[in-house]
Amino acid sequence: MAELPEVGAALGEGSLVTAALEGCRLAGNRLNLDVYPDGCHQFLKLFEKRREEVAQVEFLRLNCNEALIDSTLGSLPVLKCLKSLVLKGGHAKDEFGACQQGSLTTLPQDFRNLLCLTHLDLSFNSFSRLPSCVTDLASLRVLLVCHNSLVGLPEDFGRLSKLTFFSAMKNQLRDLPRSIGELAALQRLDLSENTLQSLPDEIGSLYNCLELDLSGNQLVGVPGSLANLRSLQQLRLHSNLLVTVPASLASLPNLSRLDLQNNRLRSIPPEIQSSPFVHLRGNPLGEPEIPLQSDESSSGELGRVFLVPSDDSFTVTSDGCKVILACGIQFYFPPGAATSTVTIHFQTLSPDPRWVKLRHHDILLSEVLELRPHGVEFQQEVQIWMPYTSPQTQREREVVVRTFNGQTWSDLQTKVERRGKPKKHMACCSIPHFSWFLVVSRLVENKCSVPSAGTLLFSTVDPSIKVTFPPGVTEETRSITLQVLPVLAEELAEITDDPESRASPLLCLSQNSTVDFLRPVKIQLPLPPGVTGLTLDRSRLHLLHGNLQAQTWDDITNQVVLEFTHLYARFEVTHFSWYWLWYTTKTYIGGIARKVYERLRLYQVNFIALQRKKDPEQVLLQCVPKHKVDPVLGKLHDRYQGPEPSDIVELFEGEQFFAAFERGINIDADRPDCVDGRISFIFYSHLKNMKEIYVTAEVDRKGQAVKGQVSFYRGEVPDNVPEDATKKRKGPDSHWLATLPIKLPKLKSRSGEHSEPKNGFSFPPLNLGNAETGYLTQANLLGIAGRIGADWQTIGLNLGLPYQQIERIGYNHREDLDSQILNMLFSWAQQNSDDQNCVEKLITAMKESGRQDIADEIETVIKLGRQKYRASIRRVGLDQESSAEDSTIAMV
């Protein structure tokens, strides 16, 4: 085997293969090729030359960071004797030294023929779902899928009845299938560092489980069925969001370690607190300085209040406290800040450009937070931390919290940091009053006060940009603000289609006075790139002055005295605005500058229209910046399908646009964001411009499919848009942006209408919830039923309906999916109509079933109902908390 000298290196002492210089032969049953850069290549060569001997291999390890791994997988099902298979990534490192994931996203279906396989390691790969062939491996005892991207496990996962060890550490699991309780032989289960928010009761059926690791998730509670795990020796629940735990856990006879550290426990049962094997560090009773779940601290330290998503208020006393909202916003009320007990109401609002006025080059990074009572003041400063979407790292930008007092917006002194687990970008500031708050990214502001003696101000973005104020420049002290917007040469060439044109950074100067300076102020700007004072052609250099809104640009080259050094130009002015140096052969430079400035404010985006594979009537519409299109589509392709994204369109930050369904397709619901049959959007480059819409056809689809479309249109022209930009929006088709096809397939047994009872099943009048918190009416429930589709059984189980009842509904209405859905949903609603929390349970069940779209729609309906109720209360004067300021502006 002289042609395979490398194989001998891969075959160590006691290996499955022994290589000699001549006449080497396969011996043993072990082949480790994962530690060599071309192990897959060697395997394929060895398989080709000595197939019969390789087919007897029982233990095989391969490197999934190799390019040939997919080709190698096709040969593995031939290894009928294979007992242990390791297909791991993580062998390669990136430039920062981190392990690179393997390339595996699936496995060949004939892997199910590996009937002897008892050990399978797929760690450090790129699986988003577990291949279906895995659950066919009936002999499997050990399954490792650590460090992947799994969001769920298959419903038939319980078929792996011989499994004794399963690890899915460091994935993105949101929930577990109920069949996990069928893993009767399981002894070790590691689900740490996922995103689990709840556990099925069936997990209490793992009677042989010895170790259970659920740490590092988002659990707020655990089922009482865990007390059935009589064999359990170690239970790790640390680093979750637990607010309570069942006292029955303390009675598990074999438990030697119960780790509850770093949670949010509201109370700890005495049985658990007194148990010697319980670890409580990071909770109130363990370390007082760690967050508490109550309003009071047990040892004199400030207490912390953790709120759940359904909360919309909290109480602050003179003792002070720290408050953490479910959305991640945090408050710090120092002792003495409140002189008496005060109840704070809060809500997050979608930004509306009618009152959220962004300045040029601002980027919105958060939703709006409203705190009431408006205008309430405290004896000491209250601090707030607001999470935000991190903008692309740009040296010329800074993040600030902006507040609205009912009339004007102002920026607060802000510091940014990363805190929490996982680390989130947070903007922190002290707030002077309670009103409305949001986070924006703006151009860096350099400020100074100019006394009569004069001073010097320079830019931290570009220190070569300086403003010199001579003595006697002013009689009274003035506040000056300097901002700089760099312009890349490549960007300028693309916009102007002129590679010879060059420009300096834009300089914006403003002051708090309307009076011109008493003496000229000297400004220094860098010459445009590639231009020096020695090679300068003065006829090509233009100094432009723009008004404060940058709508007009005037060439003032002949109105000032320009001085040049090797790298800089200097000139004097007596009033402030925008200044810009251009180097070009063009003559009408003012118009070109206006066009470039406008384009610098625009974002290039694509529109996406996708239909859910399981339910084509559910359409996802999204506006995505062009550099994010591929990643967004990559995350959606498993659940959605549709046409290619639209051509590139340009939008301003905060610009309104609409989506309209056309050619036989209509919106299938009354929506608060629907205006004249069109869905309203507001484009913000760093927020999600996404909505899921349910549609119906204007004609009966039993006979044929409907080929329609969705078109996108601009809204009204934004304020302060340059004249050149508005020219494009005049004419009969000026508002049209893009059109994408939508197809509703021909119906088989399902009907799209629910107005008539099915199979004699009638629905008595029914309302869920109450007027104060918001109703779900029978009409709302019928609309929800029309969107559930094939997920009805999962949703029913998450609503708490018995499995036998779900089976009976499915059998009794086996020919009609609509009747199955309606019977399930209305059976649950009738049983729970007296429960004040039934709407919240319905929302939770939708989320647990992977139907965030329906959960969002229910929350929107409830929110709208609450707003109408509160508005009616205010109209009749019954709202004790309403204030005069509240009535001056409607923020929603």
Side-chain angles (χ1 to χ4, degrees), residues 244-266:
T244 184
V245 290
S248 54
L249 294 181
S251 63
L252 291 173
N254 295 301
L255 198 62
S256 60
R257 181 181 180 88
L258 174 58
D259 194 342
L260 297 171
Q261 300 179 86
N262 298 320
N263 274 284
R264 300 176 176 179
L265 291 171
R266 287 180 174 171

Side-chain angles (χ1 to χ4, degrees), residues 707-719:
K707 297 180 180 180
Q709 65 187 29
V710 58
S711 294
F712 298 89
Y713 299 89
R714 293 188 189 276
E716 294 299 322
V717 178
D719 294 339

Side-chain angles (χ1 to χ4, degrees), residues 561-748:
V561 177
L562 282 167
E563 302 173 357
F564 300 99
T565 68
H566 182 59
L567 298 175
Y568 308 114
R570 298 190 179 107
F571 55 94
E572 294 183 337
V573 298
T574 57
H575 63 278
F576 280 174
S577 186
W578 287 91
Y579 293 96
W580 205 356
L581 271 178
W582 275 67
Y583 194 74
T584 180
T585 57
K586 305 290 185 181
T587 52
Y588 182 54
I589 189 62
I592 298 175
R594 185 167 64 247
K595 173 185 175 183
V596 172
Y597 183 84
E598 171 199 332
R599 287 286 301 274
L600 291 175
R601 293 180 55 204
L602 287 168
Y603 291 86
Q604 294 187 324
V605 302
N606 299 88
F607 294 109
I608 294 174
L610 302 175
Q611 294 174 263
R612 195 178 180 94
K613 292 179 180 178
K614 290 184 177 180
D615 186 1
E617 295 178 354
Q618 179 183 345
V619 182
L620 182 145
L621 304 178
Q622 190 168 4
C623 176
V624 186
K626 69 173 186 177
H627 66 280
K628 294 184 178 179
V629 170
D630 289 340
V632 168
L633 291 177
K635 293 179 180 179
L636 296 174
H637 81 277
D638 287 342
R639 293 175 294 146
Y640 295 88
Q641 61 187 359
E644 292 295 316
S646 72
D647 293 336
I648 290 177
V649 174
E650 293 182 330
L651 293 174
F652 289 98
E653 184 85 1
E655 183 173 359
Q656 185 180 38
F657 66 93
F658 295 92
F661 290 92
E662 301 163 340
R663 297 180 60 185
I665 295 181
N666 293 325
I667 300 171
D668 182 30
D670 291 330
R671 297 173 57 105
D673 58 354
C674 188
V675 180
D676 297 329
R678 297 180 173 187
I679 301 297
S680 173
F681 291 79
I682 308 297
F683 171 72
Y684 292 106
S685 58
H686 284 66
L687 301 184
K688 284 188 176 180
N689 308 287
M690 177 178 68
K691 294 184 180 182
E692 293 205 68
I693 317 296
Y694 282 87
V695 297
T696 59
E698 295 178 352
V699 299
D700 189 350
R701 289 162 47 208
K702 290 184 178 180
Q704 61 182 358
V706 176
K707 297 180 180 180
Q709 65 187 29
V710 58
S711 294
F712 298 89
Y713 299 89
R714 293 188 189 276
E716 294 299 322
V717 178
D719 294 339
N720 301 323
V721 170
E723 182 180 355
D724 282 1
T726 64
K727 289 180 180 178
K728 302 175 183 177
R729 308 178 186 205
K730 296 177 181 178
D733 204 26
S734 60
H735 290 268
W736 177 84
L737 292 168
T739 295
L740 293 171
I742 297 293
K743 179 180 178 181
L744 293 181
K746 181 172 64 175
L747 284 178
K748 296 180 181 178

Side-chain angles (χ1 to χ4, degrees), residues 180-200:
I180 198 167
E182 299 171 17
L183 302 177
L186 197 64
Q187 298 179 3
R188 296 172 59 198
L189 176 59
D190 186 355
L191 300 172
S192 59
E193 299 194 56
N194 279 276
T195 58
L196 296 174
Q197 298 180 359
S198 62
L199 300 172

Side-chain angles (χ1 to χ4, degrees), residues 126-177:
S126 303
F127 292 100
S128 59
R129 59 178 61 185
L130 196 66
S132 59
C133 59
V134 172
T135 54
D136 291 326
L137 300 174
S139 300
L140 208 58
R141 297 180 181 274
V142 176
L143 176 59
L144 308 175
V145 290
C146 316
H147 295 270
N148 275 277
S149 302
L150 297 176
V151 296
L153 298 174
E155 290 298 326
D156 62 347
F157 191 70
R159 294 175 58 198
L160 299 174
S161 58
K162 294 184 180 180
L163 207 62
T164 61
F165 178 32
F166 174 58
S167 177
M169 177 182 67
K170 276 192 176 293
N171 278 273
Q172 300 167 24
L173 295 177
R174 296 190 291 262
D175 53 26
L176 298 176

Side-chain angles (χ1 to χ4, degrees), residues 704-818:
Q704 61 182 358
V706 176
K707 297 180 180 180
Q709 65 187 29
V710 58
S711 294
F712 298 89
Y713 299 89
R714 293 188 189 276
E716 294 299 322
V717 178
D719 294 339
N720 301 323
V721 170
E723 182 180 355
D724 282 1
T726 64
K727 289 180 180 178
K728 302 175 183 177
R729 308 178 186 205
K730 296 177 181 178
D733 204 26
S734 60
H735 290 268
W736 177 84
L737 292 168
T739 295
L740 293 171
I742 297 293
K743 179 180 178 181
L744 293 181
K746 181 172 64 175
L747 284 178
K748 296 180 181 178
S749 61
R750 183 181 175 184
S751 169
E753 300 293 334
H754 301 291
S755 57
E756 298 295 332
K758 304 293 181 77
N759 297 336
F761 188 80
S762 60
F763 311 116
L766 183 65
N767 288 324
L768 299 183
N770 56 68
E772 184 172 358
T773 60
Y775 274 127
L776 279 183
T777 65
Q778 177 171 315
N780 295 139
L781 290 175
L782 286 170
I784 292 168
R787 290 144 177 74
I788 288 176
D791 296 324
W792 72 273
Q793 291 174 303
T794 303
I795 293 171
L797 291 171
N798 285 324
L799 284 171
L801 293 178
Y803 181 75
Q804 294 81 359
Q805 183 178 357
I806 298 290
E807 287 286 287
R808 186 169 60 252
I809 291 173
Y811 178 78
N812 291 340
H813 305 277
R814 53 190 177 276
E815 300 298 331
D816 191 339
L817 177 61
D818 285 334

